Amino acid sequence: MIRPRIPINPLPTGIVTPLITTAPAPAQVEQLHTAACACQHTTPAPVAPAASGPAVRLSPAGVLAVVGGGAAVVLVVGAVLVSMLLAVAVTGASVTVCAVVLRSLLNTQPRR
């Protein structure tokens, strides 16, 4: 009845994106030497980790821009939420008025 259609690219680009694979780091083989060996090798010095600091540094103008942007977002989101709440309240009130009018119409009809 309804058969799905598989889209066909009319103009193939010919670009093949290979999968990204990371090759494992080659394992370093440590050779055990005796204390009296004559090869005069040295052990590599341990690398100190980099000092961690704040990732983003902002100037005072940047901080003011971020604070201003955040305040604007809060105000916009607040206005949207308040307007949605007002729409729900108005809809509820109108449904209530319609229910009262219909009830009064239906109750007065058999009396006539």
Side-chain angles (χ1 to χ4, degrees):
M1 191 170 172
I2 297 175
R3 294 183 183 180
R5 293 187 177 194
I6 299 172
I8 299 173
N9 188 3
L11 300 171
T13 59
I15 299 172
V16 178
T17 306
L19 296 175
I20 299 173
T21 57
T22 56
Q28 295 180 353
V29 179
E30 295 183 19
Q31 296 176 355
L32 298 177
H33 292 283
T34 59
C37 82
C39 63
Q40 299 176 354
H41 64 85
T42 59
T43 59
V47 177
S52 62
V56 177
R57 295 183 186 216
L58 295 175
S59 65
V63 171
L64 287 177
V66 170
V67 169
V73 167
V74 167
L75 289 175
V76 168
V77 170
V80 169
L81 291 177
V82 167
S83 64
M84 290 173 65
L85 181 63
L86 183 62
V88 169
V90 168
T91 304
S94 65
V95 168
T96 303
V97 169
C98 289
V100 168
V101 169
L102 283 175
R103 183 177 176 190
S104 67
L105 289 174
L106 292 175
N107 283 340
T108 58
Q109 188 176 13
R111 294 181 190 167
R112 291 184 181 178

